[in-house]
Amino acid sequence: MIPSKEKEIIHAFQFLIYILFCIFALFVILWISKSVYSAWIYNDAPITATVIGVVIIPLFILFIILVSRVFWALVREDRSPGSDEGIRRI
């Protein structure tokens, strides 16, 4: 059994990692968007930049969705009544 104070520290650390990942993914999306825009403006391989953007941007949006669902599922599981302190024994 994990003491309450340690549990709060663990949850805070997990939330910090989640927020940092979301910020990283959003900055990657913004960076790719800016690269595609610059490629179109300067006519520097615009089709290639667009294809890369069309693949990378949805991929990072999917990563954000997956990480969010896993994070919130772990938080809900840990707080559900009857859960063995968030640890499932098989």
Side-chain angles (χ1 to χ4, degrees):
M1 183 170 171
I2 300 174
S4 178
K5 185 66 174 172
E6 288 180 17
K7 234 171 142 178
E8 290 176 15
I9 293 171
I10 291 170
H11 284 295
F13 187 67
Q14 288 173 338
F15 189 69
L16 176 69
I17 291 172
Y18 167 70
I19 293 297
L20 289 176
F21 173 76
C22 288
I23 290 171
F24 168 75
L26 290 174
F27 274 111
V28 168
I29 290 170
L30 289 174
W31 176 62
I32 294 293
S33 300
K34 182 185 176 300
S35 297
V36 170
Y37 177 75
S38 295
W40 277 98
I41 294 298
Y42 297 118
N43 202 20
D44 182 29
I47 301 301
T48 305
T50 304
V51 169
I52 291 171
V54 165
V55 171
I56 297 295
I57 290 173
L59 186 67
F60 272 89
I61 291 172
L62 179 67
F63 286 162
I64 291 173
I65 291 169
L66 289 175
V67 169
S68 298
R69 291 185 58 99
V70 168
F71 176 76
W72 291 115
L74 288 174
V75 168
R76 274 195 314 260
E77 179 181 309
D78 191 39
R79 293 185 181 169
S80 66
S83 69
D84 190 22
E85 292 298 321
I87 300 171
R88 286 188 177 177
R89 289 183 171 65
I90 297 175

